[in-house]
Amino acid sequence: MAIGVTTTPEKSKPSGSIINDPQVRGIFYQVITLVVLAAFVYWVADNTIENLKRANIASGYDFLNGRAGFDVGQSLIAYTSDSTYQSALVVGLLNTLLVAVCGIFTATIIGFAVGIGRLSHNWLIAKLSLAYVEIFRNIPPLLVIFFWYSGVLAILPQPRESAALPLNMFLNNRGLAFPKPIFGDGSLYTVLAFVLAIVASFLVARYARKKQEATGQRFPVLWTSLGLIIGLPLLTFLATGSPITFDVPIAGKFNLTGGSVIGPEFLSLFLALSFYTAAFIAEIVRAGIRGVSKGQTEAAHALGIRPGLTTRLVVVPQALRIIIPPLTSQYLNLTKNSSLAVAIGYADLVAVGGTILNQTGQSIEIVTIWIVVYLSLSLATSLFMNWFNARMALVER
Amino acid sequence: MSTHQATFVRASMIEASAPPVAEGGIVHWLRENLFATPKDTVLTIIGALALAWLLPPAIQWLFLDAAWTGGGRGVCATVAQGGSQPEGWSGACWAFVNAKLDQFVYGRYPLDERWRPTLVGILFILFLVPMAIPKVPYKGINAILLFAVLPLISLILLPGGWFGLTFVETPLWGGLMVTLILSFVGIAVSLPLGILLALGRRSHMPVIKMLCTAFIELVRGIPLITVLFMASVMLPLFLPQGVTFDKFLRALIGVSLFASAYMAEVVRGGLQAIPKGQYEGADSLGLSFWQKMNLIVLPQALKLVIPGIVNTFIGLFKDTSLVSIIGMFDLLGIVRFNFTDANWASSVTPISGLIFAGFIFWLFCFGMSRYSGFMERVLDTAHKR
């Protein structure tokens, strides 16, 4: 019966009102959203202009050329309180980058060690790694920073009772003092030799790969590269007559003299970020290695490949493919968490920006600079990691 | 049927003999798990040495040498530092935590009015516990109680100012109370907002899609502390003169918006994992967009991403500690605030306070992650492979 129902062509179209046409509705919603947004932006801008006028703040970036008038604890470039706001911000940015790069380096090493430890057949190592991960993952990073800063580093001995470490280093509550290299004439050649050695190692690696693909013979890349990178600068260094000397810190009666000092602010931020992020990296590494199916290892063993080579040639390349995307976001998190520096007075971008903001009241400009810098850092890191990921990704035929 | 008893057949079973020593018992376990290979043995020894070097001093410091009771810095300082402990003493100063515990929970909330946060806390536990246990019925009423009635009661009780309750301004709030309020509101706002943003990002309408994507990527690209600075410094600029927001409310807005961007990405992952056939099936049944989402897609998608959602919750809970940087006294803030108390100033006070705060944070975060694992198993109704 129902088969016999006939519909006229007009009836199959949505009858009557255009209210029920999804396309029309979509356009309607979007127009409404745009109008509301435009009104909101206009309202906010109007209020802001009004407020700025009342507070007598000139908007624009001219203030960047003004004299900063404040000191920063640690700076990679020449900076005094007479420098401009602009150079203060550059100092802050460099400090952010410094702690982020150092933190990423250490966190990766600790994270990989702990992550592999969690998969160990050794019960004790696995449980210790588990305890590490569960403790650090569930504590706020800010608290870890304070723990190092006011809990551990603050109760280190006074400078005159500094704890001596190997390599002429000293540890006290003002930081870690270490020998400062002084670059004499001709030390440039050593640096050049170092760069040259790295380039040469790349070429060797490429040559070795070509050779193996062509003839099947393997070339000892690791040892050649190590020899190049260590040997070449060392030879140049000796040939040019040892131009680099060290300014060694000496424990005086009340204080240390000479050498360079890394402040407790940097140390605590660096240690906290490394330990905190390492817990997350460990879980990523564990998931990555577990993600490589057991058949792969067994097949490699069946082919007679030794366990070490199996790990290097079969498991790790496949695990890295799973590890890299989440690892990228952990690196980004570490970089963003480095902004917690403001809590302990390490002069990073946010801390310096905050000081300038308090001095000049240029809040919109400062916040814009923050956003632009952090967004570009995020973008740069993800671009690099995407490139790396593309190289590592499965080549499907 | 004759029962023939052959003499060479045993009449009873013999006792099972014990397994070889190498195949069972503690020796076997040790061999298998600690000393399987020479490398393992070395690792075990290193691990055991590290434990032996770390654990006894830690226990000694945390418990045995700790000062548990006392009324001032004297119990936590050596004689040379003006205290009563012998020279060379170092131990945790739990007396400090003990004396300040009320402040760590309530902040500087007036003493006479502390029954108000206590009452809210009790109601919170009363509503939360049945909500968290899957077997307890009446989830609908329970949800209304937890997410509508409780906030209303808190709004009346905590600030006061009406029904004869004295007004307690938010700068006086502090401690665990602030941490919990910030997290609860953050969680309650960020989940629905995150779902909306995720749906917006997957929308076919270009304007909506672009706006949601821009918001999510912008917020995810910058640190929370800049968002909080923005909320505390720039929000007053954006509003007309005379309109002021409470600092607490500003932090609340900042934290919630920040968490919702992360939540949106988690939810988007779940939405992407739902096969297209589910969307098309819902469409072919003639369901509207919201019916499709509420009845078909979201229940499946959210179930898939429970670990991600709870991770975001844990992150949010930890991130609330950042409000201490913009001058609010959450748990971490109030603990640090008390370091400046001259009555308790000693070299072990800060580390004791921080360990206590860390333990509280750890307890909540670890609890949440354990509960999420439990919920995953309960909700895992799919066919087992």
Side-chain angles (χ1 to χ4, degrees):
Chain A
M1 253 184 85
I3 301 164
V5 174
T6 50
T7 47
T8 49
E10 292 93 326
K11 264 207 162 176
S12 70
K13 277 187 179 175
S15 60
S17 73
I18 55 166
I19 295 173
N20 289 328
D21 186 344
Q23 220 153 12
V24 176
R25 275 214 229 178
I27 293 170
F28 176 70
Y29 288 143
Q30 294 182 60
V31 168
I32 294 256
T33 315
L34 272 183
V35 168
V36 170
L37 186 76
F40 180 71
V41 169
Y42 175 77
W43 182 70
V44 165
D46 192 48
N47 285 332
T48 312
I49 292 168
E50 189 77 8
N51 283 327
L52 286 178
K53 211 181 278 170
R54 199 176 309 109
N56 240 336
I57 297 172
S59 54
Y61 290 89
D62 294 337
F63 73 98
L64 284 176
N65 293 319
R67 179 180 175 276
F70 59 87
D71 277 317
V72 295
Q74 184 185 341
S75 138
L76 289 175
I77 55 171
Y79 174 85
T80 61
S81 57
D82 283 329
S83 304
T84 57
Y85 283 126
Q86 198 174 342
S87 50
L89 282 171
V90 173
V91 167
L93 174 61
L94 287 177
N95 279 343
T96 296
L97 289 179
L98 178 73
V99 78
V101 170
C102 294
I104 284 175
F105 183 73
T106 328
T108 310
I109 293 174
I110 304 177
F112 269 75
V114 175
I116 294 168
R118 278 209 63 183
L119 291 171
S120 169
H121 295 296
N122 190 320
W123 182 84
L124 186 67
I125 298 292
K127 289 293 172 224
L128 281 179
S129 308
L130 175 71
Y132 176 90
V133 170
E134 287 297 355
I135 289 175
F136 277 95
R137 229 170 30 152
N138 290 321
I139 294 180
L142 187 62
L143 203 138
V144 186
I145 292 174
F146 282 135
F147 178 80
W148 284 109
Y149 187 64
S150 48
V152 178
L153 294 178
I155 53 175
L156 284 174
Q158 298 281 325
R160 64 182 147 167
E161 293 158 357
S162 301
L165 299 176
L167 291 173
N168 280 324
M169 295 196 288
F170 291 93
L171 194 64
N172 57 41
N173 63 3
R174 293 207 201 136
L176 179 75
F178 63 97
K180 183 166 73 175
I182 298 169
F183 297 100
D185 291 336
S187 55
L188 191 66
Y189 292 113
T190 311
V191 178
L192 271 180
F194 183 65
V195 174
L196 205 69
I198 290 178
V199 175
S201 314
F202 268 111
L203 294 178
V204 167
R206 177 177 272 191
Y207 159 77
R209 199 162 54 241
K210 282 228 171 95
K211 188 180 169 193
Q212 192 181 0
E213 276 168 11
T215 65
Q217 282 169 331
R218 290 163 64 91
F219 186 79
V221 184
L222 184 70
W223 296 113
T224 332
S225 310
L226 267 182
L228 271 174
I229 290 175
I230 296 173
L232 203 58
L234 201 68
L235 277 178
T236 325
F237 178 69
L238 294 175
T240 49
S242 316
I244 302 177
T245 49
F246 287 96
D247 178 16
V248 178
I250 296 159
K253 203 159 189 184
F254 297 108
N255 211 342
L256 292 171
T257 48
S260 283
V261 178
I262 305 177
E265 291 85 14
F266 176 83
L267 277 182
S268 39
L269 187 65
F270 161 70
L271 288 174
L273 289 180
S274 306
F275 280 102
Y276 176 74
T277 315
F280 290 88
I281 293 181
E283 283 301 273
I284 291 168
V285 169
R286 185 177 77 106
I289 295 176
R290 290 259 312 254
V292 179
S293 80
K294 206 167 176 219
Q296 297 284 330
T297 327
E298 287 169 347
H301 286 172
L303 286 175
I305 303 175
R306 279 182 281 117
L309 275 182
T310 305
T311 311
R312 226 177 74 212
L313 299 177
V314 178
V315 177
V316 169
Q318 299 189 66
L320 274 186
R321 213 175 292 141
I322 310 174
I323 291 173
I324 287 173
L327 192 63
T328 313
S329 62
Q330 283 311 319
Y331 285 171
L332 289 178
N333 277 348
L334 190 146
T335 312
K336 283 182 280 173
N337 277 339
S338 72
S339 63
L340 297 179
V342 67
I344 52 168
Y346 174 69
D348 84 320
L349 183 70
V350 173
V352 171
T355 313
I356 298 175
L357 197 155
N358 282 338
Q359 281 189 4
T360 61
Q362 306 276 3
S363 49
I364 297 177
E365 290 81 359
I366 293 290
V367 169
T368 317
I369 290 173
W370 281 341
I371 292 178
V372 168
V373 168
Y374 278 107
L375 280 183
S376 2
L377 281 182
S378 303
L379 210 62
T381 315
S382 3
L383 280 180
F384 173 74
M385 291 307 267
N386 282 347
W387 168 81
F388 191 58
N389 195 25
R391 288 206 46 183
M392 282 289 165
L394 194 63
V395 184
E396 282 178 337
R397 282 178 237 266
Chain B
M1 207 173 173
S2 66
T3 49
H4 180 74
Q5 191 70 43
T7 48
F8 53 85
V9 177
R10 269 185 192 280
S12 62
M13 300 292 274
I14 54 166
E15 286 284 306
S17 53
V21 181
E23 287 304 314
I26 192 153
V27 176
H28 175 69
W29 187 88
L30 282 177
R31 247 216 204 143
E32 196 87 315
N33 291 304
L34 294 180
F35 305 104
T37 59
K39 200 183 83 188
D40 256 359
T41 312
V42 173
L43 281 176
T44 305
I45 291 172
I46 293 177
L49 281 180
L51 267 187
W53 177 71
L54 216 62
L55 217 50
I59 291 174
Q60 186 84 14
W61 192 91
L62 282 174
F63 302 110
L64 302 180
D65 278 350
W68 292 88
T69 50
R73 67 180 294 273
V75 291
C76 296
T78 58
V79 177
Q81 293 163 336
S84 59
Q85 296 287 353
E87 198 54 39
W89 173 89
S90 181
C93 187
W94 301 133
F96 164 70
V97 175
N98 217 346
K100 301 285 185 182
L101 198 58
D102 272 3
Q103 238 190 65
F104 290 171
V105 174
Y106 299 105
R108 290 172 295 163
Y109 210 86
L111 284 177
D112 296 339
E113 308 293 335
R114 283 192 181 168
W115 60 270
R116 280 148 51 174
T118 313
L119 184 63
V120 171
I122 290 171
L123 284 178
F124 175 62
I125 294 170
L126 272 184
F127 296 156
L128 184 72
V129 169
M131 193 74 198
I133 300 171
K135 278 190 185 134
V136 177
Y138 306 118
K139 285 280 184 261
I141 298 171
N142 204 332
I144 293 173
L145 283 176
L146 186 61
F147 293 109
V149 176
L150 181 69
L152 207 66
I153 295 175
S154 326
L155 209 59
I156 295 168
L157 275 182
L158 292 179
W162 35 52
F163 302 124
L165 296 166
T166 44
F167 179 63
V168 181
E169 48 182 12
T170 51
L172 291 178
W173 301 16
L176 188 61
M177 176 185 136
V178 160
T179 300
L180 287 178
I181 295 174
L182 279 175
S183 323
F184 180 76
V185 175
I187 285 171
V189 171
S190 71
L191 186 58
L193 202 58
I195 291 173
L196 285 183
L197 280 170
L199 290 177
R201 194 168 178 172
R202 281 173 60 83
S203 166
H204 297 297
M205 297 181 237
V207 173
I208 309 276
K209 183 176 179 172
M210 212 181 62
L211 285 177
C212 289
T213 311
F215 176 82
I216 293 171
E217 291 306 328
L218 183 77
V219 173
R220 268 160 40 94
I222 54 178
L224 174 59
I225 190 69
T226 53
V227 176
L228 288 177
F229 266 127
M230 251 198 266
S232 76
V233 181
M234 283 178 63
L235 213 56
L237 272 184
F238 291 161
L239 297 170
Q241 204 199 7
V243 180
T244 48
F245 259 113
D246 192 69
K247 196 172 177 183
F248 186 75
L249 201 60
R250 277 184 264 165
L252 213 52
I253 294 172
V255 169
S256 307
L257 288 183
F258 187 77
S260 54
Y262 282 82
M263 191 63 78
E265 284 301 273
V266 171
V267 174
R268 189 167 70 106
L271 291 177
Q272 277 176 346
I274 302 301
K276 210 174 167 205
Q278 297 289 325
Y279 290 85
E280 289 167 350
D283 283 338
S284 69
L285 285 176
L287 299 185
S288 76
F289 176 80
W290 291 111
Q291 280 173 330
K292 176 170 77 177
M293 286 303 157
N294 280 333
L295 301 174
I296 312 289
V297 178
L298 280 177
Q300 300 183 66
L302 292 182
K303 199 173 84 181
L304 275 181
V305 290
I306 289 176
I309 292 176
V310 176
N311 274 345
T312 315
F313 286 167
I314 293 176
L316 171 70
F317 189 78
K318 289 188 292 185
D319 279 345
T320 56
S321 63
L322 263 63
V323 298
S324 64
I325 296 179
I326 57 165
M328 280 168 54
F329 297 105
D330 73 317
L331 178 59
L332 185 57
I334 199 86
V335 168
R336 276 176 23 86
F337 174 72
N338 274 302
F339 294 166
T340 53
D341 184 351
N343 189 28
W344 282 99
S346 78
S347 61
V348 288
T349 309
I351 196 163
S352 309
L354 287 174
I355 288 176
F356 171 75
F359 179 67
I360 300 291
F361 273 109
W362 184 86
L363 219 56
F364 277 94
C365 295
F366 189 69
M368 274 196 262
S369 79
R370 277 297 134 115
Y371 180 69
S372 106
F374 163 72
M375 273 324 272
E376 251 177 274
R377 285 193 298 280
V378 168
L379 291 178
D380 187 12
T381 48
H383 298 290
K384 301 274 189 305
R385 274 192 291 176

